[in-house]
Amino acid sequence: MNPRSHWERIYASRLPNELSWYQLHPQRSLDLIQKTGVSRTASILDVGGGDSTLVDHLIARDYERVAVLDLSESALSRARVRLGSSAGSVTWREADILDADVLPGSIDVWHDRAVFHFLTRPNDRAAYINQVRRMMRPQGHVIVATFAEDGPSQCSGLPVERYSAVALHAVFGGDFQLRTSVRDVHRTPSGAEQRFTYCWCTYHSRMSAAA
């Protein structure tokens, strides 16, 4: 199965509020980003952001350097249309995060509520984490949310990996310092409950540690 084609079909066939992950107000993500204490000029990357409303709220809070990366051009297009004239202040990247060409050491805040739990193959997880290490600035903030160990076992017809906070942090490794973890219950547009694990870490590059 081609992942890009899969997600294009999903976005082409459903309205935003028909998608299980839809949040009108992504409060948990916004709270964690605010807690990082980064300035309004920090570089924030929303990985797998699609047509999530997180970008709307970040712009409303005057963050100036927000980028949204997703496989689906349809999802990114919907977000641009929704934002109207504000879309020009956002960097839009149609790419697979596993091989996306983003400037090394350029990201202050990495946010992902949509991608990591779909990586069921160890090689893909390793490639993702290598991308985090490559793109993050030292002392940068990494916020990743996945389905919790008692969350759904699949999403949008695809299997997922589920994590406790301990397991999620362990996958990333010792150069990611866990700042906090949170369990969250997301209520889907259809009324179902999905349990999530959020981890916020700071990245301490091996090069910096050696110095």
Side-chain angles (χ1 to χ4, degrees):
M1 183 203 67
N2 182 294
R4 191 182 304 272
S5 297
H6 176 82
W7 291 112
E8 288 289 4
R9 285 195 299 271
I10 292 292
Y11 282 105
S13 61
R14 301 180 193 175
L15 296 173
N17 61 2
E18 294 174 336
L19 299 167
S20 64
W21 55 84
Y22 175 76
Q23 293 178 300
L24 180 61
H25 195 86
Q27 191 62 52
R28 184 69 68 187
S29 295
L30 290 166
D31 287 347
L32 288 171
I33 291 170
Q34 182 173 1
K35 285 179 180 179
T36 67
V38 297
S39 73
R40 293 300 191 266
T41 59
S43 175
I44 301 174
L45 177 64
D46 188 16
V47 178
D51 64 352
S52 163
T53 62
L54 178 64
V55 63
D56 307 54
H57 294 281
L58 292 175
I59 292 172
R61 294 182 180 204
D62 297 323
Y63 288 98
E64 300 174 9
R65 298 173 60 209
V66 180
V68 180
L69 183 150
D70 201 274
L71 274 173
S72 171
E73 170 56 28
S74 297
L76 297 176
S77 178
R78 292 202 314 203
R80 288 193 295 265
V81 169
R82 184 184 70 239
L83 284 168
S85 60
S86 296
S89 66
V90 178
T91 298
W92 305 94
R93 296 182 181 274
E94 182 189 350
D96 184 336
I97 192 58
L98 300 185
D99 57 16
D101 185 15
V102 175
L103 186 68
S106 63
I107 305 300
D108 295 299
V109 179
W110 177 290
H111 174 269
D112 170 11
R113 183 183 168 265
V115 176
F116 193 72
H117 56 207
F118 284 109
L119 304 180
T120 58
R121 297 188 301 182
N123 288 348
D124 288 342
R125 291 194 290 271
Y128 177 105
I129 295 167
N130 284 338
Q131 285 282 68
V132 179
R133 291 189 175 112
R134 188 181 71 82
M135 295 182 200
M136 292 301 299
R137 290 196 174 114
Q139 313 302 316
H141 303 273
V142 180
I143 299 166
V144 175
T146 68
F147 287 133
E149 64 271 40
D150 54 348
S153 59
Q154 65 175 18
C155 179
S156 297
L158 299 177
V160 299
E161 289 287 330
R162 297 177 290 181
Y163 295 91
S164 66
V166 171
L168 182 56
H169 180 228
V171 172
F172 276 76
D175 45 348
F176 294 86
Q177 179 185 2
L178 183 64
R179 300 292 298 274
T180 193
S181 62
V182 184
R183 277 177 56 88
D184 192 50
V185 178
H186 166 61
R187 187 173 294 277
T188 71
S190 66
E193 290 188 349
Q194 295 179 336
R195 289 169 174 79
F196 277 77
T197 295
Y198 284 74
C199 282
W200 161 31
C201 297
T202 49
Y203 174 57
H204 299 269
S205 73
R206 293 163 179 169
M207 185 177 298
S208 296

